[in-house]
């Protein structure tokens, strides 16, 4: 089958076989251009020209896990750890609202200091103070906790499965299990969260076959939001000498998923912007419709080091807001107004 026919099939049927996805991932030249152009058209048709901004608040750099790729892993004794107090988190959320954000993403390592009650209290206080959607990105918890967070007012949850290759998953996530990860994602969906998931591009040992499987798993989980980012080696982790993930494969994965879930929200990730100075722009031009600028205080931004060289690390939140708006406008797009709920979620509800 020709790449052109596969793209057409994806547009009409929103499903592809693994082999078809592999051919798209390997597309070059005119074929690749067609993939990106089609994904951009599908994005425009299904989610419009608005680019929604999410204010990211990284509230704790403690983590009980030891993911091989991540600078926050518990074995990294050189990592700088901090925990923000409840009032401080609420204050940053209020500041984000004043800057125009209508969604805040509360992200952290897996830090059990934030018990069910503490998290619920943070969620409720934010909701009492400002009219924002709350996305949680805090990793694996029990069903009861997820339910309590939802009842407290959390709207969305982001948790990547990272890789669908179970052998690689085991290798890079000591003490964790792929099965558990998927179970958590299914719980979140059943509880009515707007569900975000996705994977890392370029983990050592990952093949094109694996990536195609990752794409199929996002489709199978029926994600409302899709987070795909290139792996970037961190010097204080076991993967320090590995090669970074491919920007090109990241863009192709974004484009393919735009064709398979046309009304999902897809961010152009910070990691993409870190590996390529124009990475976020490129992402927005091949299917993405979300950007997640960090709105936290500089003193914390510097300490939340998942990987080195993160963009915006020395920039004040107000500067990033202006910068990102000018990027969006330069692409002929506009900044989204309102909370920017995933249309995929809305349609299913
Ligand atoms: N602890 C929560 C979790 O794992 O879901 C949320 C925070 S975690 C830091 C957010 C994401 O960062 C992970 O899903 C992972 O894909 C990404 N990440 C971690 N280390 C990375 C690296 N070295 N390069 C690129 N992305 C990385
Ligand atoms: Fe912890 Fe998340 Fe980093 Fe894994 S990716 S070490 S769970 S912060
Ligand atoms: Fe942070 Fe451009 S978005 S400096």
């Amino acid at each position: 089958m020709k790449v052109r026919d596969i793209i057409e099939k994806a547009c009409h049927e929103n499903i592809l076989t693994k082999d078809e996805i592999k051919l798209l991932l390997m597309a070059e030249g005119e074929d690749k251009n067609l993939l990106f152009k089609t994904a951009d058209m599908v994005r425009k048709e299904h989610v419009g020209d608005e680019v929604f901004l999410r204010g990211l608040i990284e509230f704790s750099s403690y983590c009980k896990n030891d993911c091989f790729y991540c600078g926050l892993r518990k074995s990294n004794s050189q990592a700088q750890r901090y925990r923000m107090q409840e009032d401080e988190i609420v204050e940053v959320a209020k500041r984000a609202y004043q800057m125009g954000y209508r969604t805040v993403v509360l992200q952290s390592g897996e830090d059990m200091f934030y018990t069910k009650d503490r998290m619920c209290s943070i969620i409720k206080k934010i909701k009492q103070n400002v009219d924002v959607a709350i996305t949680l990105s805090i990793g694996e918890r029990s069903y009861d906790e997820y339910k309590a967070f939802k009842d407290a007012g959390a709207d969305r949850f982001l948790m990547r499965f990272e890789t669908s290759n179970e052998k690689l998953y085991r290798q890079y996530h000591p003490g964790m299990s792929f099965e558990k990860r998927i179970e958590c994602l299914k719980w979140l969906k059943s509880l009515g969260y707007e569900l975000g998931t996705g994977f890392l591009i370029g983990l050592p040992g990952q093949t094109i076959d694996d990536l195609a499987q990752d794409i199929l798993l996002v489709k199978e989980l029926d994600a409302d939001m899709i987070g795909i980012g290139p792996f970037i080696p961190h010097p204080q982790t076991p993967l320090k000498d590995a090669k970074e993930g491919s920007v090109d494969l990241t863009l192709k994965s974004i484009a393919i998923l735009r064709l398979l879930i046309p009304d999902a929200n897809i961010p152009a990730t910070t990691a993409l912007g870190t590996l390529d100075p124009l990475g976020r722009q490129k992402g927005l031009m091949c299917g993405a419709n979300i950007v997640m600028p960090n709105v936290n205080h500089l003193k914390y931004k510097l300490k939340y080091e998942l990987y080195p060289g993160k963009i915006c690390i020395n920039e004040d939140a107000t500067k990033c807001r202006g910068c990102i708006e000018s990027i969006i406008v330069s692409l002929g797009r506009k900044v989204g107004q309102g909370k920017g709920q995933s249309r995929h979620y809305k349609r299913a509800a």
Side-chain angles (χ1 to χ4, degrees), residues 10 14 38-44 46-48 224 226 228 252-267 286-290 333:
N14 302 135
T38 312
D40 195 43
M41 276 163 43
V42 170
R43 184 268 310 153
K44 193 176 169 72
H46 289 266
V47 296
D224 303 299
I226 304 165
I228 306 166
K252 285 171 179 165
S253 301
I254 290 175
I256 296 167
L257 274 159
R258 173 57 70 201
L259 304 185
L260 298 186
I261 313 183
D263 50 2
N265 277 340
I266 309 184
C286 70
N289 68 324
I290 302 282
R333 309 268 283 276

PDB file of all heavy atoms in Angstrom, residues 10 14 38-44 46-48 224 226 228 252-267 286-290 333:
ATOM      1  N   ALA A  10      -6.507   6.332   6.943  1.00  0.00           N
ATOM      2  CA  ALA A  10      -6.523   6.851   8.326  1.00  0.00           C
ATOM      3  C   ALA A  10      -7.578   7.944   8.475  1.00  0.00           C
ATOM      4  O   ALA A  10      -8.297   8.003   9.474  1.00  0.00           O
ATOM      5  CB  ALA A  10      -5.145   7.388   8.705  1.00  0.00           C
ATOM      6  N   ASN A  14     -10.108   6.140  10.636  1.00  0.00           N
ATOM      7  CA  ASN A  14      -9.480   6.401  11.947  1.00  0.00           C
ATOM      8  C   ASN A  14      -8.862   5.155  12.571  1.00  0.00           C
ATOM      9  O   ASN A  14      -8.796   5.026  13.804  1.00  0.00           O
ATOM     10  CB  ASN A  14     -10.481   7.021  12.943  1.00  0.00           C
ATOM     11  CG  ASN A  14     -11.076   8.321  12.450  1.00  0.00           C
ATOM     12  OD1 ASN A  14     -12.269   8.523  12.556  1.00  0.00           O
ATOM     13  ND2 ASN A  14     -10.269   9.195  11.888  1.00  0.00           N
ATOM     14  N   THR A  38      -1.599  16.783   5.951  1.00  0.00           N
ATOM     15  CA  THR A  38      -2.934  16.218   6.203  1.00  0.00           C
ATOM     16  C   THR A  38      -3.288  16.329   7.692  1.00  0.00           C
ATOM     17  O   THR A  38      -4.414  16.699   8.045  1.00  0.00           O
ATOM     18  CB  THR A  38      -3.005  14.742   5.755  1.00  0.00           C
ATOM     19  OG1 THR A  38      -2.460  14.635   4.445  1.00  0.00           O
ATOM     20  CG2 THR A  38      -4.421  14.216   5.763  1.00  0.00           C
ATOM     21  N   ALA A  39      -2.297  16.026   8.552  1.00  0.00           N
ATOM     22  CA  ALA A  39      -2.575  16.114  10.004  1.00  0.00           C
ATOM     23  C   ALA A  39      -2.941  17.547  10.377  1.00  0.00           C
ATOM     24  O   ALA A  39      -3.833  17.778  11.200  1.00  0.00           O
ATOM     25  CB  ALA A  39      -1.349  15.654  10.792  1.00  0.00           C
ATOM     26  N   ASP A  40      -2.277  18.517   9.743  1.00  0.00           N
ATOM     27  CA  ASP A  40      -2.568  19.921  10.047  1.00  0.00           C
ATOM     28  C   ASP A  40      -3.999  20.274   9.607  1.00  0.00           C
ATOM     29  O   ASP A  40      -4.717  20.973  10.320  1.00  0.00           O
ATOM     30  CB  ASP A  40      -1.542  20.818   9.330  1.00  0.00           C
ATOM     31  CG  ASP A  40      -1.557  22.228   9.890  1.00  0.00           C
ATOM     32  OD1 ASP A  40      -1.629  22.370  11.129  1.00  0.00           O
ATOM     33  OD2 ASP A  40      -1.512  23.186   9.096  1.00  0.00           O
ATOM     34  N   MET A  41      -4.402  19.749   8.452  1.00  0.00           N
ATOM     35  CA  MET A  41      -5.766  20.005   7.964  1.00  0.00           C
ATOM     36  C   MET A  41      -6.809  19.358   8.875  1.00  0.00           C
ATOM     37  O   MET A  41      -7.847  19.947   9.190  1.00  0.00           O
ATOM     38  CB  MET A  41      -5.934  19.452   6.540  1.00  0.00           C
ATOM     39  CG  MET A  41      -5.435  20.418   5.463  1.00  0.00           C
ATOM     40  SD  MET A  41      -5.189  19.608   3.871  1.00  0.00           S
ATOM     41  CE  MET A  41      -6.617  18.586   3.718  1.00  0.00           C
ATOM     42  N   VAL A  42      -6.517  18.127   9.286  1.00  0.00           N
ATOM     43  CA  VAL A  42      -7.457  17.409  10.164  1.00  0.00           C
ATOM     44  C   VAL A  42      -7.561  18.144  11.504  1.00  0.00           C
ATOM     45  O   VAL A  42      -8.651  18.308  12.071  1.00  0.00           O
ATOM     46  CB  VAL A  42      -6.991  15.941  10.361  1.00  0.00           C
ATOM     47  CG1 VAL A  42      -7.791  15.242  11.457  1.00  0.00           C
ATOM     48  CG2 VAL A  42      -7.116  15.176   9.046  1.00  0.00           C
ATOM     49  N   ARG A  43      -6.420  18.623  12.005  1.00  0.00           N
ATOM     50  CA  ARG A  43      -6.432  19.423  13.245  1.00  0.00           C
ATOM     51  C   ARG A  43      -7.354  20.636  13.093  1.00  0.00           C
ATOM     52  O   ARG A  43      -8.213  20.907  13.918  1.00  0.00           O
ATOM     53  CB  ARG A  43      -4.985  19.845  13.563  1.00  0.00           C
ATOM     54  CG  ARG A  43      -4.787  20.597  14.864  1.00  0.00           C
ATOM     55  CD  ARG A  43      -4.877  22.091  14.711  1.00  0.00           C
ATOM     56  NE  ARG A  43      -4.069  22.632  13.642  1.00  0.00           N
ATOM     57  CZ  ARG A  43      -4.354  23.753  13.000  1.00  0.00           C
ATOM     58  NH1 ARG A  43      -5.456  24.434  13.274  1.00  0.00           N
ATOM     59  NH2 ARG A  43      -3.581  24.203  12.029  1.00  0.00           N
ATOM     60  N   LYS A  44      -7.185  21.343  11.973  1.00  0.00           N
ATOM     61  CA  LYS A  44      -7.988  22.554  11.747  1.00  0.00           C
ATOM     62  C   LYS A  44      -9.480  22.223  11.684  1.00  0.00           C
ATOM     63  O   LYS A  44     -10.320  22.894  12.274  1.00  0.00           O
ATOM     64  CB  LYS A  44      -7.513  23.210  10.439  1.00  0.00           C
ATOM     65  CG  LYS A  44      -8.021  24.626  10.221  1.00  0.00           C
ATOM     66  CD  LYS A  44      -7.397  25.186   8.929  1.00  0.00           C
ATOM     67  CE  LYS A  44      -8.043  26.478   8.510  1.00  0.00           C
ATOM     68  NZ  LYS A  44      -7.686  27.615   9.376  1.00  0.00           N
ATOM     69  N   HIS A  46     -11.099  19.587  12.922  1.00  0.00           N
ATOM     70  CA  HIS A  46     -11.725  18.987  14.110  1.00  0.00           C
ATOM     71  C   HIS A  46     -11.563  19.777  15.392  1.00  0.00           C
ATOM     72  O   HIS A  46     -12.412  19.717  16.272  1.00  0.00           O
ATOM     73  CB  HIS A  46     -11.214  17.559  14.311  1.00  0.00           C
ATOM     74  CG  HIS A  46     -11.741  16.611  13.292  1.00  0.00           C
ATOM     75  ND1 HIS A  46     -12.866  15.853  13.502  1.00  0.00           N
ATOM     76  CD2 HIS A  46     -11.312  16.326  12.041  1.00  0.00           C
ATOM     77  CE1 HIS A  46     -13.113  15.128  12.418  1.00  0.00           C
ATOM     78  NE2 HIS A  46     -12.178  15.399  11.517  1.00  0.00           N
ATOM     79  N   VAL A  47     -10.438  20.495  15.553  1.00  0.00           N
ATOM     80  CA  VAL A  47     -10.273  21.250  16.811  1.00  0.00           C
ATOM     81  C   VAL A  47      -9.989  22.728  16.564  1.00  0.00           C
ATOM     82  O   VAL A  47      -9.797  23.500  17.504  1.00  0.00           O
ATOM     83  CB  VAL A  47      -9.191  20.629  17.758  1.00  0.00           C
ATOM     84  CG1 VAL A  47      -9.613  19.254  18.214  1.00  0.00           C
ATOM     85  CG2 VAL A  47      -7.820  20.559  17.104  1.00  0.00           C
ATOM     86  N   GLY A  48      -9.950  23.126  15.304  1.00  0.00           N
ATOM     87  CA  GLY A  48      -9.840  24.547  14.984  1.00  0.00           C
ATOM     88  C   GLY A  48      -8.448  25.134  15.129  1.00  0.00           C
ATOM     89  O   GLY A  48      -7.466  24.405  15.327  1.00  0.00           O
ATOM     90  N   ASP A 224      -8.230  11.101  25.511  1.00  0.00           N
ATOM     91  CA  ASP A 224      -8.768  12.419  25.183  1.00  0.00           C
ATOM     92  C   ASP A 224      -7.634  13.417  24.939  1.00  0.00           C
ATOM     93  O   ASP A 224      -7.815  14.430  24.275  1.00  0.00           O
ATOM     94  CB  ASP A 224      -9.635  12.934  26.343  1.00  0.00           C
ATOM     95  CG  ASP A 224     -10.767  11.963  26.680  1.00  0.00           C
ATOM     96  OD1 ASP A 224     -11.603  11.720  25.797  1.00  0.00           O
ATOM     97  OD2 ASP A 224     -10.788  11.420  27.800  1.00  0.00           O
ATOM     98  N   ILE A 226      -3.207  13.483  24.324  1.00  0.00           N
ATOM     99  CA  ILE A 226      -2.129  12.567  23.939  1.00  0.00           C
ATOM    100  C   ILE A 226      -0.771  13.249  24.119  1.00  0.00           C
ATOM    101  O   ILE A 226      -0.460  14.218  23.429  1.00  0.00           O
ATOM    102  CB  ILE A 226      -2.299  12.145  22.463  1.00  0.00           C
ATOM    103  CG1 ILE A 226      -3.686  11.524  22.245  1.00  0.00           C
ATOM    104  CG2 ILE A 226      -1.194  11.173  22.064  1.00  0.00           C
ATOM    105  CD1 ILE A 226      -4.076  11.402  20.778  1.00  0.00           C
ATOM    106  N   ILE A 228       3.137  13.012  23.806  1.00  0.00           N
ATOM    107  CA  ILE A 228       4.238  12.255  23.204  1.00  0.00           C
ATOM    108  C   ILE A 228       5.475  13.143  23.237  1.00  0.00           C
ATOM    109  O   ILE A 228       5.440  14.277  22.766  1.00  0.00           O
ATOM    110  CB  ILE A 228       3.959  11.928  21.724  1.00  0.00           C
ATOM    111  CG1 ILE A 228       2.612  11.219  21.582  1.00  0.00           C
ATOM    112  CG2 ILE A 228       5.073  11.095  21.129  1.00  0.00           C
ATOM    113  CD1 ILE A 228       2.133  11.187  20.145  1.00  0.00           C
ATOM    114  N   LYS A 252       6.136  12.705  13.571  1.00  0.00           N
ATOM    115  CA  LYS A 252       5.319  11.742  12.812  1.00  0.00           C
ATOM    116  C   LYS A 252       4.283  11.071  13.721  1.00  0.00           C
ATOM    117  O   LYS A 252       3.136  10.852  13.317  1.00  0.00           O
ATOM    118  CB  LYS A 252       6.216  10.685  12.171  1.00  0.00           C
ATOM    119  CG  LYS A 252       6.990  11.189  10.960  1.00  0.00           C
ATOM    120  CD  LYS A 252       7.999  10.143  10.544  1.00  0.00           C
ATOM    121  CE  LYS A 252       8.797  10.560   9.325  1.00  0.00           C
ATOM    122  NZ  LYS A 252       9.994   9.705   9.169  1.00  0.00           N
ATOM    123  N   SER A 253       4.677  10.771  14.963  1.00  0.00           N
ATOM    124  CA  SER A 253       3.725  10.122  15.879  1.00  0.00           C
ATOM    125  C   SER A 253       2.571  11.064  16.199  1.00  0.00           C
ATOM    126  O   SER A 253       1.411  10.645  16.272  1.00  0.00           O
ATOM    127  CB  SER A 253       4.425   9.709  17.182  1.00  0.00           C
ATOM    128  OG  SER A 253       5.479   8.819  16.899  1.00  0.00           O
ATOM    129  N   ILE A 254       2.884  12.355  16.394  1.00  0.00           N
ATOM    130  CA  ILE A 254       1.826  13.349  16.642  1.00  0.00           C
ATOM    131  C   ILE A 254       0.869  13.370  15.448  1.00  0.00           C
ATOM    132  O   ILE A 254      -0.357  13.314  15.593  1.00  0.00           O
ATOM    133  CB  ILE A 254       2.439  14.766  16.859  1.00  0.00           C
ATOM    134  CG1 ILE A 254       3.175  14.820  18.191  1.00  0.00           C
ATOM    135  CG2 ILE A 254       1.358  15.860  16.766  1.00  0.00           C
ATOM    136  CD1 ILE A 254       3.926  16.129  18.444  1.00  0.00           C
ATOM    137  N   ALA A 255       1.451  13.426  14.246  1.00  0.00           N
ATOM    138  CA  ALA A 255       0.637  13.524  13.031  1.00  0.00           C
ATOM    139  C   ALA A 255      -0.254  12.285  12.871  1.00  0.00           C
ATOM    140  O   ALA A 255      -1.450  12.401  12.567  1.00  0.00           O
ATOM    141  CB  ALA A 255       1.545  13.705  11.816  1.00  0.00           C
ATOM    142  N   ILE A 256       0.319  11.108  13.098  1.00  0.00           N
ATOM    143  CA  ILE A 256      -0.460   9.870  12.920  1.00  0.00           C
ATOM    144  C   ILE A 256      -1.615   9.838  13.933  1.00  0.00           C
ATOM    145  O   ILE A 256      -2.758   9.520  13.597  1.00  0.00           O
ATOM    146  CB  ILE A 256       0.441   8.618  13.077  1.00  0.00           C
ATOM    147  CG1 ILE A 256       1.502   8.589  11.974  1.00  0.00           C
ATOM    148  CG2 ILE A 256      -0.400   7.337  13.074  1.00  0.00           C
ATOM    149  CD1 ILE A 256       2.628   7.593  12.201  1.00  0.00           C
ATOM    150  N   LEU A 257      -1.310  10.217  15.189  1.00  0.00           N
ATOM    151  CA  LEU A 257      -2.379  10.173  16.188  1.00  0.00           C
ATOM    152  C   LEU A 257      -3.448  11.230  15.927  1.00  0.00           C
ATOM    153  O   LEU A 257      -4.614  11.030  16.261  1.00  0.00           O
ATOM    154  CB  LEU A 257      -1.796  10.260  17.601  1.00  0.00           C
ATOM    155  CG  LEU A 257      -1.410   8.854  18.076  1.00  0.00           C
ATOM    156  CD1 LEU A 257      -0.392   8.873  19.187  1.00  0.00           C
ATOM    157  CD2 LEU A 257      -2.655   8.063  18.512  1.00  0.00           C
ATOM    158  N   ARG A 258      -3.063  12.355  15.330  1.00  0.00           N
ATOM    159  CA  ARG A 258      -4.096  13.335  14.945  1.00  0.00           C
ATOM    160  C   ARG A 258      -5.059  12.708  13.939  1.00  0.00           C
ATOM    161  O   ARG A 258      -6.267  12.955  13.977  1.00  0.00           O
ATOM    162  CB  ARG A 258      -3.429  14.599  14.384  1.00  0.00           C
ATOM    163  CG  ARG A 258      -4.386  15.611  13.794  1.00  0.00           C
ATOM    164  CD  ARG A 258      -5.456  16.091  14.776  1.00  0.00           C
ATOM    165  NE  ARG A 258      -4.930  16.941  15.833  1.00  0.00           N
ATOM    166  CZ  ARG A 258      -5.557  17.146  16.999  1.00  0.00           C
ATOM    167  NH1 ARG A 258      -6.729  16.555  17.261  1.00  0.00           N
ATOM    168  NH2 ARG A 258      -5.027  17.916  17.927  1.00  0.00           N
ATOM    169  N   LEU A 259      -4.529  11.863  13.048  1.00  0.00           N
ATOM    170  CA  LEU A 259      -5.413  11.215  12.065  1.00  0.00           C
ATOM    171  C   LEU A 259      -6.287  10.142  12.724  1.00  0.00           C
ATOM    172  O   LEU A 259      -7.441   9.952  12.340  1.00  0.00           O
ATOM    173  CB  LEU A 259      -4.605  10.577  10.936  1.00  0.00           C
ATOM    174  CG  LEU A 259      -3.647  11.481  10.151  1.00  0.00           C
ATOM    175  CD1 LEU A 259      -3.029  10.715   8.986  1.00  0.00           C
ATOM    176  CD2 LEU A 259      -4.367  12.718   9.624  1.00  0.00           C
ATOM    177  N   LEU A 260      -5.721   9.452  13.733  1.00  0.00           N
ATOM    178  CA  LEU A 260      -6.463   8.339  14.330  1.00  0.00           C
ATOM    179  C   LEU A 260      -7.477   8.796  15.394  1.00  0.00           C
ATOM    180  O   LEU A 260      -8.506   8.169  15.592  1.00  0.00           O
ATOM    181  CB  LEU A 260      -5.489   7.316  14.934  1.00  0.00           C
ATOM    182  CG  LEU A 260      -4.523   6.650  13.931  1.00  0.00           C
ATOM    183  CD1 LEU A 260      -3.708   5.566  14.615  1.00  0.00           C
ATOM    184  CD2 LEU A 260      -5.277   6.067  12.731  1.00  0.00           C
ATOM    185  N   ILE A 261      -7.146   9.881  16.131  1.00  0.00           N
ATOM    186  CA  ILE A 261      -8.105  10.452  17.096  1.00  0.00           C
ATOM    187  C   ILE A 261      -8.202  11.948  16.771  1.00  0.00           C
ATOM    188  O   ILE A 261      -7.576  12.782  17.427  1.00  0.00           O
ATOM    189  CB  ILE A 261      -7.666  10.226  18.566  1.00  0.00           C
ATOM    190  CG1 ILE A 261      -7.235   8.761  18.812  1.00  0.00           C
ATOM    191  CG2 ILE A 261      -8.793  10.624  19.533  1.00  0.00           C
ATOM    192  CD1 ILE A 261      -6.855   8.420  20.248  1.00  0.00           C
ATOM    193  N   PRO A 262      -8.986  12.307  15.752  1.00  0.00           N
ATOM    194  CA  PRO A 262      -8.941  13.669  15.199  1.00  0.00           C
ATOM    195  C   PRO A 262      -9.324  14.780  16.169  1.00  0.00           C
ATOM    196  O   PRO A 262      -8.853  15.898  16.031  1.00  0.00           O
ATOM    197  CB  PRO A 262      -9.959  13.619  14.047  1.00  0.00           C
ATOM    198  CG  PRO A 262     -10.236  12.191  13.799  1.00  0.00           C
ATOM    199  CD  PRO A 262      -9.923  11.432  15.043  1.00  0.00           C
ATOM    200  N   ASP A 263     -10.189  14.447  17.174  1.00  0.00           N
ATOM    201  CA  ASP A 263     -10.652  15.511  18.060  1.00  0.00           C
ATOM    202  C   ASP A 263      -9.979  15.493  19.433  1.00  0.00           C
ATOM    203  O   ASP A 263     -10.460  16.110  20.381  1.00  0.00           O
ATOM    204  CB  ASP A 263     -12.181  15.456  18.205  1.00  0.00           C
ATOM    205  CG  ASP A 263     -12.681  14.073  18.559  1.00  0.00           C
ATOM    206  OD1 ASP A 263     -11.842  13.163  18.724  1.00  0.00           O
ATOM    207  OD2 ASP A 263     -13.905  13.880  18.676  1.00  0.00           O
ATOM    208  N   ALA A 264      -8.844  14.802  19.548  1.00  0.00           N
ATOM    209  CA  ALA A 264      -8.118  14.780  20.832  1.00  0.00           C
ATOM    210  C   ALA A 264      -7.334  16.078  21.007  1.00  0.00           C
ATOM    211  O   ALA A 264      -7.091  16.813  20.051  1.00  0.00           O
ATOM    212  CB  ALA A 264      -7.152  13.599  20.857  1.00  0.00           C
ATOM    213  N   ASN A 265      -6.959  16.366  22.248  1.00  0.00           N
ATOM    214  CA  ASN A 265      -6.024  17.453  22.514  1.00  0.00           C
ATOM    215  C   ASN A 265      -4.608  16.885  22.501  1.00  0.00           C
ATOM    216  O   ASN A 265      -4.326  15.889  23.183  1.00  0.00           O
ATOM    217  CB  ASN A 265      -6.318  18.090  23.877  1.00  0.00           C
ATOM    218  CG  ASN A 265      -7.432  19.114  23.784  1.00  0.00           C
ATOM    219  OD1 ASN A 265      -7.730  19.621  22.699  1.00  0.00           O
ATOM    220  ND2 ASN A 265      -8.050  19.439  24.903  1.00  0.00           N
ATOM    221  N   ILE A 266      -3.732  17.510  21.729  1.00  0.00           N
ATOM    222  CA  ILE A 266      -2.356  16.994  21.627  1.00  0.00           C
ATOM    223  C   ILE A 266      -1.364  18.135  21.874  1.00  0.00           C
ATOM    224  O   ILE A 266      -1.338  19.101  21.109  1.00  0.00           O
ATOM    225  CB  ILE A 266      -2.079  16.386  20.221  1.00  0.00           C
ATOM    226  CG1 ILE A 266      -3.173  15.379  19.834  1.00  0.00           C
ATOM    227  CG2 ILE A 266      -0.690  15.756  20.185  1.00  0.00           C
ATOM    228  CD1 ILE A 266      -2.931  14.645  18.510  1.00  0.00           C
ATOM    229  N   PRO A 267      -0.579  18.047  22.931  1.00  0.00           N
ATOM    230  CA  PRO A 267       0.395  19.122  23.168  1.00  0.00           C
ATOM    231  C   PRO A 267       1.655  18.999  22.308  1.00  0.00           C
ATOM    232  O   PRO A 267       2.078  17.902  21.954  1.00  0.00           O
ATOM    233  CB  PRO A 267       0.750  18.971  24.649  1.00  0.00           C
ATOM    234  CG  PRO A 267       0.384  17.598  25.020  1.00  0.00           C
ATOM    235  CD  PRO A 267      -0.631  17.082  24.036  1.00  0.00           C
ATOM    236  N   CYS A 286       1.936  20.128  12.762  1.00  0.00           N
ATOM    237  CA  CYS A 286       1.626  18.782  12.235  1.00  0.00           C
ATOM    238  C   CYS A 286       0.653  18.051  13.139  1.00  0.00           C
ATOM    239  O   CYS A 286       0.722  16.835  13.257  1.00  0.00           O
ATOM    240  CB  CYS A 286       2.887  17.980  11.987  1.00  0.00           C
ATOM    241  SG  CYS A 286       3.714  17.481  13.468  1.00  0.00           S
ATOM    242  N   GLY A 287      -0.249  18.802  13.785  1.00  0.00           N
ATOM    243  CA  GLY A 287      -1.317  18.116  14.514  1.00  0.00           C
ATOM    244  C   GLY A 287      -1.553  18.590  15.931  1.00  0.00           C
ATOM    245  O   GLY A 287      -2.638  18.409  16.471  1.00  0.00           O
ATOM    246  N   ALA A 288      -0.549  19.212  16.567  1.00  0.00           N
ATOM    247  CA  ALA A 288      -0.714  19.585  17.973  1.00  0.00           C
ATOM    248  C   ALA A 288      -1.571  20.840  18.113  1.00  0.00           C
ATOM    249  O   ALA A 288      -1.620  21.677  17.200  1.00  0.00           O
ATOM    250  CB  ALA A 288       0.645  19.787  18.639  1.00  0.00           C
ATOM    251  N   ASN A 289      -2.240  20.973  19.290  1.00  0.00           N
ATOM    252  CA  ASN A 289      -3.100  22.145  19.530  1.00  0.00           C
ATOM    253  C   ASN A 289      -3.032  22.638  20.973  1.00  0.00           C
ATOM    254  O   ASN A 289      -3.894  23.388  21.405  1.00  0.00           O
ATOM    255  CB  ASN A 289      -4.568  21.829  19.169  1.00  0.00           C
ATOM    256  CG  ASN A 289      -5.195  20.821  20.117  1.00  0.00           C
ATOM    257  OD1 ASN A 289      -4.532  19.897  20.571  1.00  0.00           O
ATOM    258  ND2 ASN A 289      -6.466  20.996  20.437  1.00  0.00           N
ATOM    259  N   ILE A 290      -2.010  22.196  21.695  1.00  0.00           N
ATOM    260  CA  ILE A 290      -1.885  22.556  23.121  1.00  0.00           C
ATOM    261  C   ILE A 290      -0.418  22.889  23.418  1.00  0.00           C
ATOM    262  O   ILE A 290       0.480  22.248  22.848  1.00  0.00           O
ATOM    263  CB  ILE A 290      -2.269  21.337  24.013  1.00  0.00           C
ATOM    264  CG1 ILE A 290      -3.691  20.830  23.734  1.00  0.00           C
ATOM    265  CG2 ILE A 290      -2.031  21.624  25.494  1.00  0.00           C
ATOM    266  CD1 ILE A 290      -4.806  21.628  24.337  1.00  0.00           C
ATOM    267  N   ARG A 333      -2.312  31.257  14.143  1.00  0.00           N
ATOM    268  CA  ARG A 333      -3.296  30.627  15.040  1.00  0.00           C
ATOM    269  C   ARG A 333      -3.658  31.611  16.138  1.00  0.00           C
ATOM    270  O   ARG A 333      -3.096  32.694  16.206  1.00  0.00           O
ATOM    271  CB  ARG A 333      -2.670  29.341  15.642  1.00  0.00           C
ATOM    272  CG  ARG A 333      -2.072  28.401  14.588  1.00  0.00           C
ATOM    273  CD  ARG A 333      -3.027  27.377  14.116  1.00  0.00           C
ATOM    274  NE  ARG A 333      -3.205  26.297  15.067  1.00  0.00           N
ATOM    275  CZ  ARG A 333      -2.399  25.232  15.163  1.00  0.00           C
ATOM    276  NH1 ARG A 333      -1.349  25.118  14.365  1.00  0.00           N
ATOM    277  NH2 ARG A 333      -2.655  24.268  16.033  1.00  0.00           N
TER     278      ARG A 333
END
